Short mmCIF file of all heavy atoms in Angstrom, two decimals:
data_model
loop_
_atom_site.label_atom_id
_atom_site.label_comp_id
_atom_site.label_asym_id
_atom_site.label_seq_id
_atom_site.Cartn_x
_atom_site.Cartn_y
_atom_site.Cartn_z
N TRP C 32 8.47 51.59 81.03
CA TRP C 32 7.41 52.16 81.85
C TRP C 32 6.52 52.98 80.92
O TRP C 32 6.93 54.04 80.43
CB TRP C 32 8.06 53.01 82.95
CG TRP C 32 7.15 53.74 83.88
CD1 TRP C 32 5.81 53.54 84.07
CD2 TRP C 32 7.51 54.81 84.76
NE1 TRP C 32 5.33 54.40 85.02
CE2 TRP C 32 6.35 55.20 85.46
CE3 TRP C 32 8.71 55.48 85.04
CZ2 TRP C 32 6.35 56.21 86.41
CZ3 TRP C 32 8.71 56.49 85.98
CH2 TRP C 32 7.54 56.84 86.67
N MET C 81 16.66 44.69 88.85
CA MET C 81 15.75 43.56 88.60
C MET C 81 15.13 43.62 87.21
O MET C 81 14.54 42.64 86.75
CB MET C 81 14.67 43.45 89.69
CG MET C 81 14.04 44.73 90.13
SD MET C 81 15.19 45.65 91.20
CE MET C 81 14.09 46.88 91.87
N GLN C 82 15.27 44.74 86.50
CA GLN C 82 14.72 44.87 85.14
C GLN C 82 15.78 44.63 84.06
O GLN C 82 15.45 44.62 82.88
CB GLN C 82 14.16 46.29 84.93
CG GLN C 82 13.07 46.67 85.91
CD GLN C 82 12.82 48.18 85.94
OE1 GLN C 82 13.69 48.97 85.61
NE2 GLN C 82 11.63 48.57 86.35
N MET C 261 17.69 54.31 96.37
CA MET C 261 16.88 53.30 97.08
C MET C 261 15.81 53.97 97.95
O MET C 261 14.68 53.47 98.06
CB MET C 261 17.79 52.41 97.93
CG MET C 261 17.10 51.19 98.50
SD MET C 261 18.19 50.19 99.51
CE MET C 261 19.13 49.31 98.28
N GLN C 263 14.49 56.82 97.21
CA GLN C 263 13.49 57.30 96.24
C GLN C 263 12.56 56.16 95.84
O GLN C 263 11.34 56.35 95.73
CB GLN C 263 14.18 57.87 95.00
CG GLN C 263 15.02 59.12 95.29
CD GLN C 263 15.86 59.51 94.09
OE1 GLN C 263 15.41 59.45 92.96
NE2 GLN C 263 17.11 59.90 94.34
N ASP C 264 13.13 54.97 95.64
CA ASP C 264 12.30 53.82 95.26
C ASP C 264 11.26 53.52 96.34
O ASP C 264 10.07 53.51 96.08
CB ASP C 264 13.17 52.56 95.06
CG ASP C 264 14.14 52.70 93.92
OD1 ASP C 264 13.87 53.51 93.01
OD2 ASP C 264 15.18 52.01 93.93
N LEU C 265 11.75 53.25 97.54
CA LEU C 265 10.85 52.71 98.56
C LEU C 265 10.07 53.78 99.32
O LEU C 265 8.84 53.70 99.43
CB LEU C 265 11.65 51.82 99.53
CG LEU C 265 10.83 51.08 100.58
CD1 LEU C 265 9.70 50.27 99.95
CD2 LEU C 265 11.71 50.16 101.42
N VAL C 266 10.78 54.76 99.84
CA VAL C 266 10.10 55.73 100.71
C VAL C 266 9.21 56.65 99.87
O VAL C 266 8.06 56.91 100.23
CB VAL C 266 11.14 56.53 101.53
CG1 VAL C 266 10.45 57.53 102.44
CG2 VAL C 266 12.03 55.59 102.32
N LYS C 267 9.76 57.12 98.74
CA LYS C 267 9.00 58.10 97.94
C LYS C 267 8.00 57.41 97.01
O LYS C 267 6.85 57.82 96.94
CB LYS C 267 10.01 58.93 97.14
CG LYS C 267 9.41 60.08 96.39
CD LYS C 267 10.50 61.05 95.92
CE LYS C 267 10.01 61.89 94.76
NZ LYS C 267 10.16 61.23 93.46
N ASN C 268 8.45 56.36 96.31
CA ASN C 268 7.60 55.77 95.26
C ASN C 268 6.95 54.44 95.61
O ASN C 268 6.25 53.87 94.77
CB ASN C 268 8.43 55.60 93.97
CG ASN C 268 8.88 56.93 93.41
OD1 ASN C 268 8.15 57.92 93.49
ND2 ASN C 268 10.09 56.98 92.86
N LYS C 269 7.26 53.91 96.81
CA LYS C 269 6.69 52.61 97.23
C LYS C 269 6.99 51.51 96.19
O LYS C 269 6.13 50.72 95.81
CB LYS C 269 5.17 52.71 97.45
CG LYS C 269 4.75 53.84 98.37
CD LYS C 269 4.89 53.46 99.83
CE LYS C 269 4.43 54.55 100.78
NZ LYS C 269 5.51 55.41 101.29
N ARG C 270 8.23 51.55 95.70
CA ARG C 270 8.68 50.56 94.72
C ARG C 270 9.65 49.60 95.40
O ARG C 270 10.36 49.99 96.34
CB ARG C 270 9.43 51.23 93.56
CG ARG C 270 8.70 52.38 92.94
CD ARG C 270 7.78 51.98 91.87
NE ARG C 270 8.42 51.20 90.83
CZ ARG C 270 7.74 50.55 89.89
NH1 ARG C 270 6.42 50.59 89.88
NH2 ARG C 270 8.36 49.87 88.96
N ARG C 271 9.76 48.37 94.89
CA ARG C 271 10.74 47.44 95.45
C ARG C 271 12.16 47.95 95.15
O ARG C 271 12.38 48.67 94.18
CB ARG C 271 10.53 46.04 94.88
CG ARG C 271 9.38 45.33 95.63
CD ARG C 271 9.20 43.91 95.18
NE ARG C 271 8.73 43.88 93.81
CZ ARG C 271 9.36 43.27 92.81
NH1 ARG C 271 10.49 42.64 93.03
NH2 ARG C 271 8.86 43.29 91.60
N THR C 272 13.10 47.55 95.98
CA THR C 272 14.46 48.11 95.91
C THR C 272 15.44 47.12 95.26
O THR C 272 15.11 45.96 95.01
CB THR C 272 14.98 48.43 97.31
OG1 THR C 272 15.21 47.18 97.99
CG2 THR C 272 14.00 49.28 98.11
N GLU C 306 9.82 46.78 102.65
CA GLU C 306 9.08 46.69 101.37
C GLU C 306 7.70 46.08 101.60
O GLU C 306 6.69 46.57 101.06
CB GLU C 306 9.85 45.82 100.36
CG GLU C 306 11.11 46.46 99.81
CD GLU C 306 11.94 45.51 98.95
OE1 GLU C 306 11.76 44.28 99.05
OE2 GLU C 306 12.79 45.99 98.20
N ASN C 310 3.97 47.71 101.26
CA ASN C 310 3.28 47.10 100.12
C ASN C 310 3.90 47.58 98.80
O ASN C 310 3.21 47.95 97.85
CB ASN C 310 1.78 47.44 100.19
CG ASN C 310 0.98 46.56 99.27
OD1 ASN C 310 1.45 45.48 98.86
ND2 ASN C 310 -0.21 46.99 98.90
N ALA C 311 5.25 47.55 98.77
CA ALA C 311 5.97 48.06 97.60
C ALA C 311 5.72 47.19 96.37
O ALA C 311 5.67 45.97 96.48
CB ALA C 311 7.47 48.09 97.91
N GLN C 312 5.57 47.86 95.22
CA GLN C 312 5.27 47.13 93.96
C GLN C 312 6.52 46.92 93.14
O GLN C 312 7.38 47.74 93.10
CB GLN C 312 4.27 47.95 93.14
CG GLN C 312 2.96 48.18 93.85
CD GLN C 312 2.27 46.90 94.30
OE1 GLN C 312 1.98 46.06 93.46
NE2 GLN C 312 2.03 46.74 95.59
#
Side-chain angles (χ1 to χ4, degrees):
W32 178 15
M81 43 285 193
Q82 301 164 336
M261 190 181 282
Q263 296 170 41
D264 296 336
L265 185 53
V266 181
K267 187 166 159 275
N268 296 324
K269 308 278 182 264
R270 309 273 306 169
R271 280 184 292 122
T272 69
E306 288 173 342
N310 195 19
Q312 300 304 301

